[in-house]
Amino acid sequence: MNSPAFDHNLYAGCAAQIISHTRELAAKGFTPATAGNFSIRMGPEHAAITISGKDKGHLTEADIMVVNMANEPVATHHRPSAEAALHTHLYRRFPDVGAVLHTHSPTQTIAGLLHADEGRVRLRGFELFKALRGHTTHETEFDLPVVPNSQDMDELTASVDVVLTQPNTWGYLIAGHGLYAWGRDISEARRHLDAFEFLLGCELEMRRLRA
Amino acid sequence: MNSPAFDHNLYAGCAAQIISHTRELAAKGFTPATAGNFSIRMGPEHAAITISGKDKGHLTEADIMVVNMANEPVATHHRPSAEAALHTHLYRRFPDVGAVLHTHSPTQTIAGLLHADEGRVRLRGFELFKALRGHTTHETEFDLPVVPNSQDMDELTASVDVVLTQPNTWGYLIAGHGLYAWGRDISEARRHLDAFEFLLGCELEMRRLRA
Amino acid sequence: MNSPAFDHNLYAGCAAQIISHTRELAAKGFTPATAGNFSIRMGPEHAAITISGKDKGHLTEADIMVVNMANEPVATHHRPSAEAALHTHLYRRFPDVGAVLHTHSPTQTIAGLLHADEGRVRLRGFELFKALRGHTTHETEFDLPVVPNSQDMDELTASVDVVLTQPNTWGYLIAGHGLYAWGRDISEARRHLDAFEFLLGCELEMRRLRA
Amino acid sequence: MNSPAFDHNLYAGCAAQIISHTRELAAKGFTPATAGNFSIRMGPEHAAITISGKDKGHLTEADIMVVNMANEPVATHHRPSAEAALHTHLYRRFPDVGAVLHTHSPTQTIAGLLHADEGRVRLRGFELFKALRGHTTHETEFDLPVVPNSQDMDELTASVDVVLTQPNTWGYLIAGHGLYAWGRDISEARRHLDAFEFLLGCELEMRRLRA
């Protein structure tokens, strides 16, 4: 008898958490027109990830598949989204990362476009830096990396790989495409995502008001 | 015995879908003060369409009528809204269009006014172009047509007809009046509408921040 | 036996409508920190009106009293808000007005401050003018009057009285204080209010984007 | 038999009120990434206060502890947030203060940063001043104090102490960190908080539109 491809109880728990978070993120307008993708690591070999093209505000377990760390589907006929490569890249690079959330809010899309040439959004003086694991004060600068968008996933993954030089970065923007945020589990990834959305929103607002 | 004017089961299904979408669109502020109209094609001859002057957030089946492709009411004493002509124009011109959604958000109203002289809103570099059927990359320009408003429906329909020159356009703005978006079915039309709202919102924001 | 001071069934119906609308208006952020007041005419002599200082998002029938057209309380120990005078002023001046809604959104507050010197907000070219009774085209100007604020109700009422010179105006702003909107019944008053909020929001946005 | 450390029925009532308000404040986006803290005074010696690091939109009684006026935990193993010191500072300084709410909205964060050098946000001419206890007219100036942020609670408390010179101030901003608002009970504190958020939002908007 073959052992099962993955632990189905673990999968069911991951799917339920993804569904719960995506419902909230869709309600905030972070997943327009089926954009966005969300995953939770299932051990060293697998991740549960949302299937492409689904309305992220109304997911069911059928909309979540399992991939391995080479982006191959596991025990399903569904094909993973091209963007699954960006999730598995983070799982392979950082063994302690347990969840990756990719959203597409207006703030995230615009902040990436405006800072694409600089290659980063430089933030200063926010108390909410302390919501990012490893950061303990507002009296510092925090650089959120920005990479150019590409339809070639190998090119895009390579661009991302070179900008992740600082510890405790927890996110990056793709210009005109949105934000990737991660953490040790989905609650932490979500806290990081919510913090980045807030900080980027403040930064854009300061830019409007200081001009 | 007369055959029925239309398939009432099909009508009931179309009405239910319209009601479901309009409830969400009203909650987003896209149907202020009873503005907006929404339709689903019922075969080559008919469309189910919202009746004028109703609160689009609280529709019932009684608020949805059937028209033929000459804008005449079918099996009802209700008169269609003048704007029904813009729906049937699209159904006659594009046989594969299955649903038309007209909304009136602040972003759509303002974007049309600001770009009325240019006759289009030119968008560049957004990943979300891929939410529009037939578009596969961000590395392109997308022109959303803008026509001047008119209380003369023949004049307005003629203005619209001449700007629909490119395939896979899926929408147009009427200056100071809002957006028309369509697709092969109401889910696709909705995805296109949500994508346009997002893209126009980003464009207006970029304009605010770059000045 | 004394005849009752007013028809209690009519009162119950008016209270229920006020409660329904204020719940929605509070959810939109139009009644911050207990601001706002709302009334429905009960015949030529009376109006049902919200009591001052109540959380407008959570009203009950106990939060709605009856006043006469001289602003005196009827069959209650509650004292009317000073602003009841602005409601009864409209009921006395316009016999066909059936409901008056006073809200305090950021847009309404700011638009009044910015246009206080001009004494009006001039709007042009919006399709949504047609949501205001008596207006049939976008190809026109619409002036929404603005009066300076005052803590002296007689002074404020007199200021309002002189600016209501045009038919089908349906609303006015008090600078830094918000909007009064009315109609033949509460549904029409609400449609007018929603239209003014939308139009003023577009106007402020156009101002931001054209500077 | 030891007398209980505090009245558990009073505690349960305070916890329920905190939970009710934080649910609403979280829904408005005022508690991003677990930011914010909220307390109600329990007599001269104690306060019920939210525990650090919890999702403020989904609190339960287990997420609320009791501290004494020296910031020491009472009858619990939980440690208070460092920011509890800012709550007890207000309770010790103003015997009539019954509740303190600390939120972290984008408007509050930005307003503090923009006005940090001035040490205050000067507001003029808003009717909503009357939502602040002791204020009866719009024809006045209101200064909301702004203090610089610090990770040293003694330094921060001392900064706050020196700016609270005017009666009926009811709030202060910490630059890049958010708003502290208070009142005689939590309903009044909430009304003050909602009024400050509204007034600061209008002030930032006026700044955008007048430049």
Side-chain angles (χ1 to χ4, degrees), chain C residues 65-121:
Chain C
M65 65 184 289
V66 178
V67 295
N68 63 23
M69 293 304 171
N71 301 313
E72 297 165 332
V74 177
T76 176
H77 66 282
H78 288 298
R79 288 186 51 210
S81 150
E83 291 175 28
L86 295 169
H87 292 247
T88 56
H89 163 253
L90 290 166
Y91 292 130
R92 292 191 314 270
R93 173 141 175 193
F94 302 115
D96 63 327
V97 168
V100 179
L101 308 176
H102 166 49
T103 51
H104 207 128
S105 77
T107 289
Q108 296 156 20
T109 302
I110 293 163
L113 283 173
L114 290 176
H115 293 269
D117 292 342
E118 292 168 80
R120 47 118 167 108
V121 184

Side-chain angles (χ1 to χ4, degrees), chain C residues 104 109-110 149 151 176 208, chain D residues 127 130 137-138 198 205 209:
Chain C
H104 207 128
T109 302
I110 293 163
N149 195 10
Q151 297 303 317
R208 267 180 227 122
Chain D
E127 176 73 12
K130 290 162 67 179
T137 178
H138 63 289
F198 181 92
E205 195 55 49
L209 288 164

Side-chain angles (χ1 to χ4, degrees), chain A residues 13-160:
Chain A
C14 292
Q17 288 194 81
I18 289 172
I19 288 166
S20 178
H21 279 278
T22 49
R23 188 161 297 140
E24 295 178 348
L25 293 170
K28 292 168 178 267
F30 290 12
T31 63
T34 77
N37 35 74
F38 308 87
S39 72
I40 297 180
R41 181 198 287 274
M42 291 171 52
E45 303 295 334
H46 295 129
I49 188 164
T50 50
I51 291 169
S52 194
K54 304 292 179 177
D55 176 353
K56 301 310 189 296
H58 296 100
L59 294 178
T60 68
E61 209 179 274
D63 302 316
I64 296 167
M65 64 183 288
V66 178
V67 294
N68 64 23
M69 293 303 170
N71 301 313
E72 296 166 330
V74 176
T76 175
H77 65 283
H78 287 297
R79 288 185 51 211
S81 150
E83 291 175 28
L86 295 170
H87 292 248
T88 57
H89 163 253
L90 290 166
Y91 291 131
R92 291 191 315 269
R93 173 142 176 192
F94 302 115
D96 63 328
V97 169
V100 179
L101 308 176
H102 166 49
T103 51
H104 208 127
S105 77
T107 289
Q108 297 157 18
T109 303
I110 292 162
L113 283 173
L114 289 176
H115 293 269
D117 292 342
E118 293 168 78
R120 46 117 167 109
V121 184
R122 175 153 286 181
L123 304 160
R124 277 192 202 86
F126 290 103
E127 176 73 11
L128 211 63
F129 290 157
K130 290 162 65 179
L132 303 169
R133 169 167 286 278
H135 295 267
T136 57
T137 178
H138 63 290
E139 293 187 289
T140 186
E141 284 177 352
F142 179 93
D143 285 347
L144 182 65
V146 182
V147 297
N149 195 10
S150 171
Q151 296 303 317
D152 178 328
M153 281 300 120
D154 292 338
E155 180 178 71
L156 188 49
T157 307
S159 300
V160 170

Side-chain angles (χ1 to χ4, degrees), chain A residues 29 32-35 58 83 104-106 109-110 113-114 149-151 175-177 204-205 207-208 211, chain B residues 24 124-128 130-131 136-139 191-192 194-195 198 201-202 205-206 208-211:
Chain A
T34 77
H58 296 100
E83 291 175 28
H104 208 127
S105 77
T109 303
I110 292 162
L113 283 173
L114 289 176
N149 195 10
S150 171
Q151 296 303 317
H177 187 167
L204 291 181
E205 196 54 50
R207 186 174 169 135
R208 266 179 229 123
Chain B
E24 294 178 349
R124 276 192 202 85
F126 290 102
E127 176 75 11
L128 211 64
K130 290 162 66 179
T136 57
T137 178
H138 64 288
E139 293 187 286
R191 194 183 74 236
H192 292 164
D194 287 346
F198 181 93
C202 287
E205 196 55 47
M206 299 285 291
R208 268 180 226 121
L209 289 163
R210 286 195 154 138

Side-chain angles (χ1 to χ4, degrees), chain B residues 49-177:
Chain B
I49 187 164
T50 50
I51 291 168
S52 193
K54 304 292 179 177
D55 176 352
K56 299 311 187 296
H58 296 101
L59 295 178
T60 68
E61 209 179 275
D63 302 317
I64 296 167
M65 64 184 290
V66 178
V67 294
N68 63 22
M69 294 304 170
N71 302 312
E72 296 165 332
V74 176
T76 176
H77 65 281
H78 287 297
R79 289 186 50 210
S81 149
E83 291 177 27
L86 295 169
H87 292 248
T88 56
H89 164 253
L90 290 165
Y91 291 130
R92 291 191 315 269
R93 174 141 176 193
F94 302 115
D96 63 328
V97 169
V100 179
L101 309 175
H102 166 48
T103 51
H104 207 127
S105 77
T107 289
Q108 297 156 19
T109 302
I110 293 162
L113 282 174
L114 290 176
H115 293 268
D117 291 344
E118 293 168 78
R120 49 120 167 104
V121 184
R122 174 153 284 181
L123 304 160
R124 276 192 202 85
F126 290 102
E127 176 75 11
L128 211 64
F129 289 156
K130 290 162 66 179
L132 304 169
R133 171 166 287 276
H135 296 267
T136 57
T137 178
H138 64 288
E139 293 187 286
T140 186
E141 284 177 350
F142 178 92
D143 284 348
L144 182 65
V146 182
V147 298
N149 195 10
S150 171
Q151 296 303 318
D152 179 327
M153 281 301 120
D154 292 338
E155 180 178 70
L156 187 48
T157 307
S159 299
V160 169
D161 208 45
V162 305
V163 299
L164 296 182
T165 52
Q166 299 302 313
N168 296 324
T169 298
W170 305 114
Y172 62 82
L173 291 171
I174 304 178
H177 187 166

Side-chain angles (χ1 to χ4, degrees), chain C residues 119-130:
Chain C
R120 47 118 167 108
V121 184
R122 175 154 284 182
L123 304 160
R124 277 192 201 85
F126 290 101
E127 176 73 11
L128 211 65
F129 289 157
K130 290 162 68 179

